[in-house]
Amino acid sequence: MNVLLLGSGGREHAIAWKIAQSPLLSKLFVAPGNPGTAAFATNLNCSLADFAAIGTLTLTHQIDLIIVGPEVPLVEGLADYFYSEENLKHVRFLGPDKHAAQLEGSKDFAKQFMHRHGVPTARYATFTSETIEEGLTYLETLEAPYVLKADGLAAGKGVLILDTLGEAQESLKTLLGGQFGASSARVVIEEFLTGIELSVFALTDGKDYVLLPEAKDYKRIGEGDTGLNTGGMGAVSPVPFADDAFMTKVIDRIVKPTMTGIHAEGMRYTGFVFFGLINVKGEPFVIEYNCRMGDPETEVVMPRVASDILPLLNAAASGKLAGMHLEKDARAACTVMLVAGGYPEDYRKGDVITGINEVNGSMVFHAGTALVEGNIVTNGGRVMAITSYGNDIHDALRVSYENAQKIEWKDKYYRRDLGKDL
Ligand code: AMP
Ligand code: GLY
């Protein structure tokens, strides 16, 4: 089977690494990929906004299965493009269509879906510039802190948490005034939930599903969960508090009703459902859905999948997941994200990275790197994810931290406190 994976981050490196182990694989292509994927797959230079170019690559390389890593092409309708083009219809496509991808692409759509299907989530209301006065009044009925969300995609920056009513009301005006363009033309205001977050993932064909190992990521830049939000500074799996009793609640109250809802509404949904959950005193609530895998969660989830992943991905894209199982690796896994100094604000690119070959006992997943004149250089805020196995997450973290010291570039930064909260 020839496979084309779209994306260029640590998530895609980890998915590619797992697919590459499959005896079912003939050729693996990654578009655009990164220097990490180039070591064992063929990178194809392509913009993910150029659907026609993706279609051409698919035909040129006789792709049987296409897997989409990031959300943007899905929310913009890449699946619909493949389903509608006569010469691409035969290709198995893993990723929801534009309508279904609104579970991530529109917070209001996701909230309405959760309400229709009885999925527990924070109380909310949605406002536009026409209803701004109602929005300002609605905020007065809530307690601090206040959660405001741009309805559409905003590169992870669209959620604002404000401590005072005054700030929340100002932020509502700024958002509806076009802070994130069309993405914030609608704003979801919701009740603040206090608890600890985790990420749960399902692979679905639109009807049946298999659960992947769960993970916890660390979103804030600073130790002790302080400072700005990032794309994710590391992850661990399994999550100690996600015991059988808690996961039974997650499955019965959240995963099953969501999957039943997707099927009952006739959504064309193949691929990953990412449940961003929060544990409020032992009760799970949905913070958000994403229509893709998490990053850096994938860098611990894929290593913990013991089964061959390719038959599962292929079955999900073919509507044939019924009766299939996913075996988990009993070991724990962790990943420590090495980032460029200054991230998530301004940071430099192009610093030469050394020491990758000295890493021992960990896997290095490239997130934001480039190959320039024979050197691997930094090319993004999140640069590399150092993943290790262990008997438990603390054991795994020790190994990643040892290896994190060996990789060097100017102003490298990473959090040294992962797992300490667990
Ligand atoms: P989202 O993009 O929806 O995942 O939101 C980003 C982050 O904001 C989440 O990971 C949470 O840490 C936080 N957040 C979002 N919604 C809420 C909420 N209702 N209560 C508490 N924290 C929230
Ligand atoms: N790590 C969170 C995300 O991928 O959205």
Side-chain angles (χ1 to χ4, degrees):
M1 191 187 314
N2 290 341
V3 177
L4 171 61
L5 171 66
L6 302 182
S8 63
R11 168 181 51 212
E12 287 76 23
H13 188 174
I15 296 173
W17 165 84
K18 184 67 189 165
I19 291 174
Q21 297 168 37
S22 175
L24 234 87
L25 181 70
S26 312
K27 282 193 198 146
L28 177 60
F29 300 89
V30 191
N34 65 37
T37 60
F40 58 88
T42 305
N43 285 351
L44 301 172
N45 194 9
C46 182
S47 156
L48 300 191
D50 189 345
F51 293 179
I54 298 169
T56 303
L57 290 178
T58 301
L59 295 174
T60 307
H61 297 286
Q62 300 181 328
I63 301 301
D64 302 295
L65 172 66
I66 177 159
I67 301 164
V68 187
E71 66 279 11
V72 173
L74 296 168
V75 172
E76 290 179 353
L78 182 60
D80 309 66
Y81 179 79
F82 269 71
Y83 296 145
S84 65
E85 290 290 307
E86 212 46 58
N87 56 0
L88 294 172
K89 278 184 179 161
H90 67 284
V91 181
R92 298 188 287 283
F93 191 98
L94 196 74
D97 74 0
K98 187 172 182 159
H99 174 74
Q102 285 183 85
L103 284 175
E104 173 164 3
S106 165
K107 305 267 187 204
D108 180 58
F109 179 95
K111 283 291 206 180
Q112 290 193 34
F113 176 92
M114 288 183 241
H115 264 252
R116 281 197 296 281
H117 300 289
V119 175
T121 187
R123 195 161 62 90
Y124 83 107
T126 303
F127 301 95
T128 63
S129 54
E130 271 96 69
T131 55
I132 187 161
E133 290 305 324
E134 285 101 307
L136 296 171
T137 311
Y138 182 74
L139 281 168
E140 289 170 11
T141 69
L142 301 176
E143 314 232 323
Y146 302 88
V147 183
L148 273 61
K149 301 184 173 183
D151 180 56
L153 295 183
K157 299 195 168 77
V159 176
L160 303 177
I161 298 184
L162 293 316
D163 288 328
T164 67
L165 179 61
E167 287 170 315
Q169 291 181 325
E170 277 315 304
S171 292
L172 179 63
K173 291 180 199 161
T174 314
L175 281 165
L176 290 175
Q179 184 175 4
F180 295 105
S183 284
S184 64
R186 279 188 297 181
V187 172
V188 171
I189 300 180
E190 62 180 52
E191 163 198 24
F192 183 85
L193 298 175
T194 304
I196 182 159
E197 290 173 61
L198 79 156
S199 307
V200 169
F201 305 95
L203 172 68
T204 184
D205 59 6
K207 180 168 178 286
D208 293 292
Y209 69 91
V210 292
L211 275 192
L212 291 110
E214 80 286 353
K216 180 184 186 305
D217 87 338
Y218 289 83
K219 289 207 167 82
R220 302 294 198 89
I221 188 71
E223 294 180 5
D225 281 327
T226 54
L228 294 174
N229 253 320
T230 70
M233 295 297 292
V236 297
S237 177
V239 179
F241 65 81
D243 55 15
D244 286 349
F246 182 77
M247 287 307 288
T248 299
K249 291 181 190 172
V250 169
I251 292 166
D252 291 346
R253 298 179 194 170
I254 293 173
V255 176
K256 284 184 178 162
T258 299
M259 292 304 167
T260 306
I262 285 174
H263 184 58
E265 294 192 14
M267 286 185 181
R268 200 155 188 184
Y269 201 126
T270 63
F272 299 102
V273 185
F274 170 157
F275 302 87
L277 306 181
I278 188 162
N279 173 354
V280 182
K281 299 194 179 95
E283 308 304 321
F285 289 80
V286 176
I287 292 275
E288 64 168 350
Y289 289 123
N290 294 311
C291 62
R292 51 165 175 92
M293 286 298 291
D295 195 349
E297 289 97 325
T298 305
E299 290 92 308
V300 294
V301 170
M302 286 299 148
R304 290 203 63 230
V305 174
S307 307
D308 183 354
I309 196 82
L310 193 49
L312 290 163
L313 299 173
N314 189 50
S318 320
K320 293 182 180 157
L321 209 48
M324 295 193 72
H325 297 282
L326 183 147
E327 295 297 328
K328 293 179 193 174
D329 192 309
R331 290 171 292 177
C334 76
T335 199
V336 175
M337 189 63 80
L338 310 185
V339 307
Y343 173 79
E345 297 185 276
D346 286 345
Y347 57 84
R348 218 175 29 245
K349 291 184 181 177
D351 287 320
V352 173
I353 304 169
T354 58
I356 303 174
N357 292 334
E358 276 143 58
V359 168
N360 189 3
S362 294
M363 294 172 273
V364 176
F365 292 122
H366 291 231
T369 69
L371 185 64
V372 177
E373 292 165 5
N375 291 314
I376 305 278
V377 303
T378 64
N379 192 41
R382 294 192 295 169
V383 178
M384 284 181 170
I386 315 297
T387 295
S388 314
Y389 288 111
N391 294 323
D392 60 31
I393 56 176
H394 301 286
D395 193 28
L397 281 161
R398 251 192 316 277
V399 181
S400 281
Y401 279 131
E402 264 169 42
N403 284 311
Q405 290 176 30
K406 297 179 186 163
I407 296 180
E408 284 298 346
W409 70 84
K410 196 167 182 300
D411 299 334
K412 170 193 82 178
Y413 169 78
Y414 57 96
R415 272 180 65 167
R416 289 163 171 79
D417 67 331
L418 304 188
K420 289 201 174 143
D421 57 332
L422 295 170

